[in-house]
Amino acid sequence: MRVIITCVAALVPALWVALPASGQSIEYNSEEVAPSVYLFAPNDAGLGNVAAVLSEGEALVVDAGGTPGAALQILSQLRDLGMNRVVALVNTHWHDDHIWGNQVFVDAFPDLQIHAHPATLEGIRD
């Protein structure tokens, strides 16, 4: 079962402020793994990947990156690939390396809906 997590937009700014500063720069490199399907892999193997499916200037994004800065990188790369709008963001689970970039996508696309399993919202809240 999937639910639309409408309150994530309210939760993420607080999480963003709490993000610890680290000296490590996270870089995400994109690779087209199938026609119009892109994988954004971080230079740190301990962090989660981000994926996107592009079609006619729109994107479905799966996970949001390990930091707000990483999400900004991914968003920039998506725009370079011809994306004008993210139509949906799916959080696979609540781990920080999958959700820390949520707010960047919500800021860029205020009507964006974030989709996830109900346990994901519980994990974010906890």
Side-chain angles (χ1 to χ4, degrees):
M1 174 195 311
R2 283 191 285 167
V3 294
I4 298 172
I5 301 179
T6 55
C7 60
V8 167
L11 284 173
V12 175
L15 294 172
W16 193 346
V17 172
L19 181 66
S22 75
Q24 179 184 3
S25 176
I26 301 168
E27 300 288 330
Y28 282 76
N29 298 305
S30 66
E31 176 184 352
E32 188 172 20
V33 294
S36 300
V37 178
Y38 292 85
L39 176 69
F40 299 86
N43 62 346
D44 180 337
L47 298 175
N49 296 321
V50 173
V53 180
L54 278 66
S55 177
E56 299 179 7
E58 296 182 329
L60 164 69
V61 177
V62 179
D63 290 329
T67 67
L72 286 169
Q73 276 183 57
I74 293 163
L75 192 53
S76 176
Q77 290 179 47
L78 286 168
R79 287 189 169 123
D80 289 346
L81 292 167
M83 185 276 312
N84 299 312
R85 179 173 167 246
V86 174
V87 296
L89 172 62
V90 177
N91 287 156
T92 58
H93 61 288
W94 59 267
H95 291 161
D96 58 355
D97 61 322
H98 296 262
I99 66 163
W100 281 122
N102 281 356
Q103 187 61 44
V104 168
F105 286 94
V106 171
D107 287 347
F109 306 98
D111 61 341
L112 178 66
Q113 293 184 339
I114 299 173
H115 302 268
H117 189 276
T120 299
L121 180 57
E122 286 180 38
I124 291 170
R125 286 182 175 156
D126 288 343

